[in-house]
């Protein structure tokens, strides 16, 4: 009785071949533009390195744990 009420699966569509990938030919102008963008990115990255004050291990300077106060100097 269960197979009477189950709809049959429609047939699957045939598999189509993959389209050919586009050729990777880039004009000289496009290569120059990409090189200029990469150079600008590197310049910006180098400019930000000097602003980083910590290393991957953390701050390398000693922390000031004791401060003089006016009351107990």
């Amino acid at each position: 009785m269960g197979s009477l009420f189950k709809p049959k699966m429609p047939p699957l569509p045939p598999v189509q071949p993959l389209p050919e990938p586009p050729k990777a030919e880039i004009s000289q102008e496009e290569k120059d533009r990409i090189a200029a963008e990469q150079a600008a990115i590197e310049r910006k990255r180098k400019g930000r390195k000097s602003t980083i004050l910590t290393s991957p291990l953390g701050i390398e300077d000693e922390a000031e744990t004791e401060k003089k106060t006016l009351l107990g100097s």
Side-chain angles (χ1 to χ4, degrees), residues 19-47:
E20 291 184 24
K23 295 183 180 181
E25 294 181 18
I26 300 175
S27 67
Q28 186 62 31
E29 294 172 353
E30 188 71 18
K31 288 179 184 178
D32 293 341
R33 185 184 63 79
I34 292 171
E37 287 177 2
Q38 292 295 327
I41 290 171
E42 287 298 317
R43 274 194 311 274
K44 289 178 184 178
R45 186 177 296 147
K46 286 181 183 178

Side-chain angles (χ1 to χ4, degrees), residues 38-65:
Q38 292 295 327
I41 290 171
E42 287 298 317
R43 274 194 311 274
K44 289 178 184 178
R45 186 177 296 147
K46 286 181 183 178
R48 287 191 297 258
K49 281 185 181 178
S50 64
T51 63
I52 298 174
L53 300 176
T54 59
S55 70
L57 302 175
I59 299 176
E60 296 174 353
D61 297 336
E62 292 292 324
E64 291 183 28
T65 55

Side-chain angles (χ1 to χ4, degrees), residues 9-17:
M9 283 282 296
L12 295 174
V15 177
Q16 299 198 1

